[in-house]
Amino acid sequence: MDAGDGPLLPDSVLYEIFLYLDHVDVLSVGLVCQQWHAVARDEFLWKELFYRYYRISREVPRHPAAVSWYDEFQRLYDTIPCVEVQALKEHNDQVLHLSFSHSGCLFASCSKDCTVKIWSNELDISLQHSSNMRPYNWSYTQFSQFNSDDSLLLVSGVFVGPHNSSSGEIAVISMENFTLLSRVRNKPYDVFGCWLNETNLISGNLHRIGRITSCSVLWLNNAFQGIESENVNVVKRLFKIQNLNASTIRTVMVADCSRYDSPDLLLDYEEQLAASSTCPVFDLGSDSEEEETKPKQTLEPAVQELPDEGGVTAEDGLQQFFDDIIEGRVRPAMTETELETKVAELFVRSRTKPPELNLLSTDSNSKTKYLIFTTGCLTYSPHQIGIKRILPHQMTTAGPVLGEERRSDEFFDSLDHVIDIHGHIIGMGLSPDHRYLYVNSRAWPQDCVISDPMQPPPIAEEIDLHVFDLKTMKEVKRALRAHRAYTPNEECFFIFLDVSRDFVASGAEDRHGYIWDRHYNICLAKLQHDNVVNSVAFSPVEQELLLTASDDATIKVWRSPRMVRIQQARKPRPRKLLFSWLVNQKS
C-alpha cells in the first residue's frame, strides 16, 4: 500500500505506538516519522504494531477485507465515531432511547419529559417535530421504531399510575404530517413493541393466573386501526405463552431469516475460512483461557416432553399430584409458591402446543421471521431469551381474531428455543443483517440457587455483552466487556445497544458510552456524559456517525476523525481580518 493513498496517522500517534516495540528506540522513531512512505510499505512492521498496540491475540486474523495491516490501523484510528461534534439539549429530562429511520435522514428520541422528538439528520442536526404524550395519560415515552419504509413511527410509553404499575401503550405516528394514527394497549410496558412488517406491529398483554403464574399474549395489530373498515380485522392473537415463577415476556423484536446465508459479517472463524472468497468476514478471537474452556451456551426447547412413566399422561400426573397432597404423601412439605409452580408446570405440559422442532433448518429464501424476547423460568428478572418462529400465514391480521382454532391440549404455545443467560438481561440488539443477536447482561453468581422467585440472586456490576448466532443458535466465542452498571435487581433498567457493520456500541451506568470492534473483539472508545448513558444508535447508512442519550437530558452526536476532517474541508474558510478590512475600505 502507498501511504499517499489516504490520510496518514499523525506523527505523535506513530511515536506513541512505536514505543510498544522493544527493539525501536526514540531516535529511530524520530527518523522513521520523516519517512512515511517507507514505513507504510513495511507490512511486517505494521502487523507487529497492530497486535502489540491493541493487545490482540495473534490467533485473530486480519480482517480479510483489509488491504494491509496499515489499512487496518488506519481504520481503527480514523473511522471510530469518537469526536463529539454537537450536543442536543431540547429535552428537559432523562433521554431514554434513540432510533434512526432506515434511510438515515431522521431519528427519534424518547424521554422522561413525555415527548417523542423527531430530528433531521443533516450536517448540523436540527429538531423537526415534537409530540407531547401527556394528554393520553402517559407518564413518559420509552422506545420508538420506524417501519421498513419510514412512513410510520411506533412510539412506546408508560401510563401514569402507581410505582408498581406495569401498564403502557403503543402509539403510531404518521411521518407525512406527524398525526397520531392509532393507539394500542401494551402490558407490561417493557414489552416495548415492534414492527412485524410495514403496516402491522406486535404488542403484549398480561393475564394473572396465580400469585406468581401468568399468561402473556402477543397480539398483531394493524397500524391503521382508526380508519380501517369495521368489516376488516385490525388485531389478531399471535401467541399465548404461560409464565412461571413471576416471569413475563418483555422486549420483543423481530429477526428476518432471509439473509442468514449472506450476512454482512461472519463471526465464526471456521465459517470465515469457508466463505472468505465471497464476502468480508470477522472472527471474534479469545485470549482468555478461562473463557475458552467455558462451555458454550446451548439451546433447549422451552417445553420438555414428559418422560415415559408407564403410559402416565401429564393430566394423570396432575391428578396424582393432587391425590398425594391430600393424603400427605408429598415430602418435604411444599410452600405455597412451590405448590403453585408445580401445579402450573403439570398443567402447561398437558395444554401446550409442541415447539417447532426444525427451527434450525429454516429455508434462507423463505419469508420466515423469528420473534425474539426476554423471559425466564426461575424468577421475575429476565434471564432467558425466547425464540418463536412466525410463519408467513401469521403475518397478517386477516382471519379469526383469536387466531387458529385450538384443541384443548394446545391452549398455550411453546417456545421453539430458549437461550439461558444465567444473569439479568438489560439490553438486546440485532446486527444489521439480523444474523447475530447481541445481549447485555449482568451475571449471577456461578453456583447460585434460587429458592424464592421473588428474590433473584445478586447481579454483577460488570456488564457482559454476549453474541449469539441465530442461524446455529449458539454463542459466538467470548463476551465483550468494559462497561458497568450499579443498580440492584429491583431497580435494574434497560440499557439499549446498537450494532453496525463493523462496530457494536452500548450505554452504561458509569457515565460513558462504549464502542467495540466486532472483528477484533476490542474496546475502541469511551464516550463521556455527565450521567447514565441509556441508549446509543449508529446511522444505518453511515457507521461513522453515532448518537448517545443520557440521564443528563442530552443527546450527543459523535463522528469519526475522518468525517470531521471532511466536513471541515467543506466549510468555507473565514477571510483573514486584514483582507476583510481592505475590501471594506475599497467599498
Side-chain angles (χ1 to χ4, degrees):
M1 165 167 175
D2 191 342
D5 291 347
L8 296 171
L9 300 178
D11 289 352
S12 59
V13 174
L14 183 66
Y15 178 87
E16 178 185 352
I17 61 181
F18 263 64
L19 295 181
Y20 281 85
L21 293 179
D22 299 333
H23 61 279
V24 177
D25 57 28
V26 175
L27 177 61
S28 60
V29 169
L31 295 174
V32 170
C33 287
Q34 301 171 15
Q35 300 178 10
W36 271 100
H37 285 73
V39 174
R41 293 191 182 96
D42 192 335
E43 184 70 356
F44 175 78
L45 179 60
W46 281 107
K47 180 178 180 180
E48 288 295 308
L49 286 172
F50 193 90
Y51 280 123
R52 296 197 184 198
Y53 183 70
Y54 288 109
R55 300 178 181 178
I56 298 172
S57 169
R58 294 180 180 272
E59 297 177 358
V60 181
R62 189 182 74 195
H63 180 354
V67 177
S68 67
W69 284 105
Y70 173 84
D71 186 63
E72 275 298 83
F73 214 119
Q74 184 78 14
R75 179 178 74 86
L76 295 189
Y77 169 78
D78 217 25
T79 65
I80 310 302
C82 58
V83 180
E84 181 184 340
V85 296
Q86 195 172 355
L88 309 174
K89 300 182 179 182
E90 279 77 356
H91 283 290
N92 54 35
D93 207 335
Q94 302 170 5
V95 188
L96 303 180
H97 184 255
L98 299 164
S99 65
F100 267 100
S101 63
H102 294 82
S103 67
C105 296
L106 302 171
F107 69 87
S109 58
C110 295
S111 169
K112 281 288 185 73
D113 65 13
C114 205
T115 66
V116 55
K117 298 187 187 297
I118 300 165
W119 308 77
S120 178
N121 181 25
E122 299 172 345
L123 185 60
D124 287 321
I125 292 172
S126 59
L127 180 63
Q128 188 168 347
H129 177 78
S130 179
S131 292
N132 182 13
M133 303 304 291
R134 290 199 191 279
Y136 306 103
N137 201 37
W138 286 27
S139 175
Y140 57 90
T141 59
Q142 60 171 351
F143 175 83
S144 66
Q145 186 183 55
F146 289 85
N147 70 341
S148 57
D149 65 2
D150 295 335
S151 62
L152 303 173
L153 179 66
L154 175 156
V155 183
S156 174
V158 180
F159 276 144
V160 173
H163 177 69
N164 59 352
S165 174
S166 62
S167 296
E169 193 172 55
I170 295 171
V172 178
I173 298 175
S174 168
M175 287 295 96
E176 182 179 359
N177 51 17
F178 303 114
T179 56
L180 182 64
L181 298 179
S182 59
R183 292 157 56 202
V184 177
R185 287 295 179 100
N186 192 40
K187 184 178 181 178
Y189 58 78
D190 49 4
V191 167
F192 294 123
C194 65
W195 291 104
L196 177 61
N197 48 42
E198 289 184 5
T199 58
N200 293 299
L201 59 101
I202 296 173
S203 66
N205 201 357
L206 185 67
H207 303 279
R208 294 291 177 186
I209 299 175
R211 191 176 72 89
I212 59 170
T213 308
S214 64
C215 172
S216 288
V217 181
L218 297 172
W219 295 90
L220 185 64
N221 308 269
N222 193 298
F224 300 95
Q225 294 188 17
I227 57 177
E228 287 286 354
S229 166
E230 63 181 13
N231 299 317
V232 178
N233 282 349
V234 294
V235 63
K236 184 174 74 174
R237 186 174 67 190
L238 265 181
F239 303 117
K240 188 175 184 179
I241 298 168
Q242 188 185 40
N243 305 309
L244 302 176
N245 288 321
S247 64
T248 62
I249 286 177
R250 312 176 189 183
T251 320
V252 298
M253 58 179 59
V254 172
D256 186 349
C257 308
S258 62
R259 294 185 59 194
Y260 284 5
D261 288 334
S262 56
D264 296 333
L265 303 173
L266 290 172
L267 298 179
D268 181 83
Y269 182 47
E270 294 181 1
E271 194 174 2
Q272 169 189 343
L273 292 177
S276 59
S277 60
T278 58
C279 65
V281 201
F282 289 87
D283 168 52
L284 290 178
S286 172
D287 54 5
S288 167
E289 295 181 2
E290 177 184 352
E291 294 292 339
E292 288 294 330
T293 56
K294 186 171 67 175
K296 294 182 179 179
Q297 295 279 358
T298 58
L299 300 176
E300 299 293 339
V303 180
Q304 303 290 340
E305 295 184 5
L306 283 175
D308 185 5
E309 298 179 355
V312 177
T313 65
E315 193 167 289
D316 292 338
L318 184 60
Q319 183 60 52
Q320 182 66 50
F321 179 66
F322 287 146
D323 293 342
D324 289 343
I325 293 175
I326 293 172
E327 297 177 15
R329 292 195 295 265
V330 176
R331 293 288 186 272
M334 283 186 166
T335 65
E336 182 180 340
T337 297
E338 292 170 337
L339 179 61
E340 181 181 326
T341 299
K342 183 65 175 179
V343 171
E345 287 176 343
L346 289 170
F347 178 79
V348 75
R349 289 183 179 183
S350 62
R351 294 289 185 270
T352 301
K353 184 178 179 180
E356 297 282 350
L357 298 180
N358 60 341
L359 189 66
L360 298 181
S361 61
T362 300
D363 181 3
S364 61
N365 296 319
S366 73
K367 297 180 180 180
T368 301
K369 297 182 179 182
Y370 290 160
L371 182 64
I372 301 172
F373 45 84
T374 63
T375 182
C377 64
L378 302 174
T379 181
Y380 69 81
S381 64
H383 55 277
Q384 293 179 324
I385 298 168
I387 299 177
K388 184 69 180 172
R389 177 186 291 183
I390 306 175
L391 300 175
H393 74 273
Q394 297 174 309
M395 299 183 191
T396 173
T397 56
V401 171
L402 297 181
E404 301 172 357
E405 291 190 13
R406 295 167 177 258
R407 305 197 307 264
S408 61
D409 60 346
E410 294 185 352
F411 187 76
F412 295 111
D413 294 291
S414 61
L415 305 188
D416 296 330
H417 272 86
V418 174
I419 302 173
D420 200 316
I421 301 297
H422 194 74
H424 193 131
I425 299 170
I426 60 170
M428 293 199 304
L430 290 164
S431 61
D433 53 24
H434 287 202
R435 171 70 181 266
Y436 298 98
L437 177 67
Y438 286 74
V439 180
N440 266 335
S441 75
R442 296 173 62 184
W444 291 338
Q446 186 171 1
D447 299 321
C448 67
V449 176
I450 301 175
S451 56
D452 183 353
M454 303 309 295
Q455 295 184 354
I459 50 179
E461 290 187 354
E462 296 80 11
I463 302 175
D464 294 329
L465 183 48
H466 301 275
V467 191
F468 296 94
D469 186 338
L470 293 178
K471 182 178 180 181
T472 63
M473 297 295 173
K474 294 181 179 179
E475 186 169 5
V476 183
K477 295 196 175 178
R478 66 185 177 93
L480 299 167
R481 288 176 179 166
H483 47 333
R484 303 175 72 87
Y486 308 107
T487 51
N489 257 313
E490 61 275 11
E491 301 175 16
C492 202
F493 53 87
F494 217 70
I495 295 178
F496 294 93
L497 59 93
D498 197 22
V499 189
S500 71
R501 186 190 70 245
D502 295 326
F503 310 125
V504 55
S506 174
E509 291 185 39
D510 58 13
R511 303 184 179 187
H512 289 89
Y514 289 82
I515 304 175
W516 294 265
D517 184 82
R518 294 177 63 194
H519 176 50
Y520 296 109
N521 215 36
I522 53 176
C523 185
L524 297 171
K526 292 176 64 176
L527 312 176
Q528 179 72 51
H529 270 271
D530 294 331
N531 211 323
V532 172
V533 178
N534 296 306
S535 179
V536 297
F538 286 103
S539 166
V541 296
E542 182 189 354
Q543 67 173 356
E544 296 179 44
L545 168 63
L546 177 71
L547 307 175
T548 56
S550 172
D551 278 359
D552 61 17
T554 302
I555 301 170
K556 288 191 176 182
V557 184
W558 308 83
R559 295 188 184 274
S560 68
R562 187 181 74 90
M563 289 304 300
V564 170
R565 288 197 309 273
I566 292 174
Q567 290 182 359
Q568 289 176 344
R570 289 174 180 172
K571 291 182 179 180
R573 295 181 179 179
R575 298 178 179 182
K576 291 183 179 180
L577 184 60
L578 178 61
F579 180 76
S580 301
W581 181 82
L582 290 173
V583 170
N584 292 332
Q585 291 297 314
K586 289 182 179 180
S587 61

